[in-house]
Amino acid sequence: MGGDYVVISVLLCFLCITFHLTVVESIDVDVNLQTNEKNTTLLRPKHFHFPWRANIMDEGSGIISHYAMWHTEPGQFYGLRADMSIWASPNQGTSQESGASLQIYCQDGGNYNLIQVGFHISPSLDHNRDIRFFTYWTKDLKSKGCYNLQCSGFVSASRANLVPGQAMAPPSIYGKQDHYVRLSLNKDPNSGDWVVYHHDLQKPSFLGHFPNKLCPGTPRIQALTGFVNYMKNAHALVEKVDGPPMGSGHFPDYDDKRSAYFKHIQNYNPNGHSSDLFGIPMIKLVDRPDCYGANNLFLEYKKGYMFNYGGPSGCVR
């Protein structure tokens, strides 16, 4: 009898252990390898530059962008699903944007097109500081692109329970409670379109789709990204000229009530079925580690594959 208690105790301890991925690596913006003491296998990534969207306000102004992401190498990928913690940014400047998204980069000829879904705070787009669900796409990563339903692109589903541009609530409360939205973006095996679902409900809800022509080719790169954007010449508008907070406004740790996260991260196969990231090499990319950060991608009991990210306001170009 006493032996049974020992076995059960050992099993419970084993289940509570946090497991770290072994086929991951970190690179800086110049694609230099940074040794991770937890790694047993390192794969050298192909060089890929992640430019951001063109400025949405006017053609004469540029956007400074920073990101903290985990992404795949180019390959045969069919979509992502994750829980993304929701954080407010009440003091954000009008010309600033902060958010998190699932991103798919699809090769189209010699270039990559981008489609993405997530949430953001964008006063210049929405004329307030509400947290809003958004969709975005751009061709060849250079064109101006399109948010939400501003042009032909994302097609919202009839009676969708979450529409692009719709406010989301409630935000997480620092140190007390985390709130999240569970979204997926994957290639439908029948239509070939890229479908978006809202999963943190009793039943998954279909939100709409990106037509296949917006993300047609392979190889593809998949990314889970915390991001900020702000205007280069915002000082001319008597605006803030530094970066807004990313995530909770704090550098990442392993406390979900204090640090923004992506968790229960899953990958889709060609048949439209999702599964854990096990065996898929992932690369961490943080372009300004002095301003924002992301911790290791790891597997934790009851949370699946996950990572934390974020950083405070005040990043200067």
Side-chain angles (χ1 to χ4, degrees), residues 85 87 246-248 252 255-256 258-262 307-310:
S85 60
W87 293 90
M246 180 189 292
S248 69
D255 185 340
D256 294 345
R258 300 190 304 170
S259 183
Y261 61 72
F262 288 86
F307 69 94
N308 301 87
Y309 70 91

Side-chain angles (χ1 to χ4, degrees), residues 57-105:
M57 296 186 67
D58 67 66
E59 298 299 334
S61 301
I63 284 285
I64 299 171
S65 302
H66 301 308
Y67 37 79
M69 68 166 71
W70 279 90
H71 70 89
T72 64
E73 293 183 327
Q76 297 283 342
F77 296 108
Y78 299 89
L80 288 167
R81 170 178 163 174
D83 297 358
M84 295 181 281
S85 60
I86 301 171
W87 293 90
S89 186
N91 299 318
Q92 190 167 301
T94 302
S95 62
Q96 298 175 328
E97 180 187 17
S98 179
S101 65
L102 306 177
Q103 300 176 316
I104 311 292
Y105 296 82

Side-chain angles (χ1 to χ4, degrees), residues 144-158:
K144 191 173 183 178
C146 183
Y147 276 96
N148 302 335
L149 306 177
Q150 292 180 331
C151 63
S152 60
F154 182 78
V155 180
S156 189
S158 174

Side-chain angles (χ1 to χ4, degrees), residues 22-70:
T22 57
V23 284
V24 298
E25 64 178 303
S26 300
I27 60 176
D28 60 23
V29 73
D30 296 318
V31 199
N32 298 315
L33 286 177
Q34 299 173 345
T35 302
N36 178 351
E37 66 275 9
K38 291 182 171 61
N39 292 351
T40 58
T41 303
L42 287 178
L43 304 177
R44 181 171 294 278
K46 298 178 178 66
H47 178 76
F48 185 79
H49 177 57
F50 283 87
W52 205 250
R53 61 195 61 165
N55 178 41
I56 65 170
M57 296 186 67
D58 67 66
E59 298 299 334
S61 301
I63 284 285
I64 299 171
S65 302
H66 301 308
Y67 37 79
M69 68 166 71
W70 279 90

